Amino acid sequence: MFPKRFIDFPTWSVGNPFMEFERMRQEMKRLSEGLQFGLPSFSTAGVFPLTNVTEDNSNFYIRAELPGLSTDDIDISVTNNGLSISGKRIIPKEGDNVRYHRREREAGNFSRMVSLPGSIDTDKVEAKFTDGILTIVLAKSKAMAPKQIEVK
Amino acid sequence: MEGKDIQVQKKKEVEPQGEFTQEGPFFIPNVDIFENEDNIVLLADMPGVAKDNIDIRLEDGQLLIRGKVSRDVPGDYVLSEYSIGDYHSSFSLSAIIDQTKIQASMKNGVLRVVLPKSDKSKHRKITIKSHQET
C-alpha cells in the first residue's frame, strides 16, 4: 500500500507542521533582538502569571496580564523584598446548549512569588487593575533610594 | 475545574500580513469560540487593550480584529517575562452569519464578539421523508 504511506503522514502535536518552524524562527528573531537591547525576554519563572518588573529611582513596578479577572479575584500580599500574587480565574459557563469550536482560554488557580532586587516600604504599595493588566507600584524603602549628592 | 492550576502560556507571536508602519511584535490572542442556537460567540483575551483601542472590521467575509496596546512602561526593566505588542487576529465568517448585526464588547481585557446567525440558517431542520415508492 505505497500511496497510503504518504497520506498517513505522522501527525504533529501542532496543527500545522510549518507553525513549528514559524515559531522557531520567531524565537530566533526574538533572541537576536534580545541580545541587541539587552532585554532578558526569555527567562521566565514558568509560573502563571508572567510578570514584568521595572524600576525607577523611587519605585518598583510589577505588571501581569490577567485578562478576564476582576479586582476581587486577585490577592496580593507583600513582604519587605517581595510579594505574592494569587487568585483564581473563572471562565463563566455560557449556558447549556453550547458547542465549542475552540477553547484556548484557561481557567484555574494561580499563585506566584516575585522577589525584588531591593527592599520596599510595605506601607506604600498601590495596586490597580485596568483592561486586564494588574499594575503594582511599590515604593522603595528610604535606605534603598539613591541619594542625589549635590556638588558644591 | 476545581483545584486546577493555570499553566503558563507563551504569547503566540505573528508576523502581520502586509506592511506595517509600526514595529512589532504582534500577538494572536487566545480565543474561545462557541455556538448556541442563535449566535456564534468569540471571546478573545487581549490584556492591555482599552475599549477605544480596538478595531473590528469586516472585509470580504473576514472578521479582522486589532487591539492596540500601550508600550509605555515606567522605569527600566529588571525582569521581563512577557513582551508587549498589539493583537492581530482574523477569522473567516461563514455565510450563516448575519453580518449586519455583529456586536462587540470589551471587559477587563476580554473581547466578546457576538455573531448572530441569519434567520434562514437558524431553521435548517431537514425533514427526512421516507420514500415508499420505487
Side-chain angles (χ1 to χ4, degrees):
Chain A
M1 289 289 126
F2 183 69
K4 196 168 182 290
R5 276 269 175 86
F6 278 96
I7 299 160
D8 279 348
F9 197 78
T11 44
W12 294 59
S13 53
V14 267
N16 178 353
F18 295 101
M19 281 290 280
E20 185 63 11
F21 289 117
E22 180 60 22
R23 192 190 61 75
M24 278 159 70
R25 203 180 64 79
Q26 298 279 9
E27 206 86 300
M28 288 305 288
K29 199 176 138 210
R30 172 54 43 77
L31 217 146
S32 57
E33 275 170 14
L35 288 173
Q36 236 174 346
F37 300 110
L39 261 184
S41 51
F42 277 127
S43 46
T44 78
V47 182
F48 185 91
L50 295 180
T51 55
N52 281 357
V53 183
T54 54
E55 65 170 337
D56 59 18
N57 282 347
S58 43
N59 297 308
F60 287 110
Y61 305 88
I62 298 181
R63 282 184 319 286
E65 296 185 327
L66 296 163
L69 272 80
S70 65
T71 40
D72 299 336
D73 303 326
I74 307 164
D75 285 317
I76 301 162
S77 61
V78 193
T79 62
N80 63 351
N81 64 348
L83 85 167
S84 78
I85 306 167
S86 61
K88 189 173 188 178
R89 186 184 188 198
I90 300 161
I91 293 182
K93 212 167 168 250
E94 300 281 355
D96 293 321
N97 235 339
V98 296
R99 206 153 48 87
Y100 271 88
H101 297 282
R102 238 204 257 187
R103 218 166 188 172
E104 295 169 348
R105 301 165 65 238
E106 256 199 289
N109 303 312
F110 61 88
S111 166
R112 83 164 283 177
M113 299 286 300
V114 180
S115 53
L116 295 165
S119 59
I120 52 154
D121 188 339
T122 49
D123 294 330
K124 290 180 187 160
V125 180
E126 271 174 46
K128 64 173 183 183
F129 188 70
T130 37
D131 299 326
I133 296 205
L134 173 70
T135 309
I136 309 166
V137 182
L138 310 107
K140 289 182 179 177
S141 68
K142 284 269 155 48
M144 269 287 294
K147 283 193 194 84
Q148 188 87 40
I149 292 150
E150 212 180 313
V151 182
K152 285 176 184 167
Chain B
M1 205 182 287
E2 196 64 38
K4 187 179 155 259
D5 290 339
I6 302 182
Q7 300 303 309
V8 166
Q9 282 183 12
K10 239 187 118 108
K11 283 163 101 176
K12 290 173 282 183
E13 199 174 334
V14 267
E15 198 79 351
Q17 302 293 310
E19 295 287 335
F20 277 85
T21 46
Q22 195 194 345
E23 266 190 50
F26 298 93
F27 298 99
I28 320 181
N30 280 336
V31 296
D32 281 358
I33 300 171
F34 64 85
E35 184 179 336
N36 55 28
E37 259 169 48
D38 305 319
N39 304 304
I40 290 174
V41 181
L42 185 147
L43 294 161
D45 285 347
M46 299 167 101
V49 180
K51 201 184 86 196
D52 299 330
N53 290 334
I54 193 136
D55 179 18
I56 304 173
R57 232 180 281 187
L58 267 173
E59 272 174 29
D60 307 328
Q62 292 259 325
L63 181 74
L64 304 178
I65 298 171
R66 278 183 202 160
K68 261 195 190 308
V69 168
S70 159
R71 285 170 215 235
D72 292 335
V73 164
D76 304 316
Y77 273 95
V78 179
L79 172 74
S80 169
E81 290 189 328
Y82 65 89
S83 22
I84 306 167
D86 291 356
Y87 295 95
H88 278 218
S89 204
S90 67
F91 302 89
S92 22
L93 298 184
S94 66
I96 64 161
I97 285 159
D98 187 343
Q99 303 199 345
T100 57
K101 289 183 188 153
I102 296 174
Q103 287 187 324
S105 57
M106 190 86 196
K107 195 188 171 195
N108 288 339
V110 179
L111 172 72
R112 185 186 186 96
V113 187
V114 179
L115 309 145
K117 294 183 188 173
S118 62
D119 286 333
K120 62 172 185 253
S121 72
K122 261 189 233 171
H123 312 287
R124 260 198 320 187
K125 199 162 173 71
I126 296 157
T127 43
I128 301 158
K129 289 175 196 159
S130 57
H131 279 267
Q132 299 292 337
E133 68 269 59
T134 326

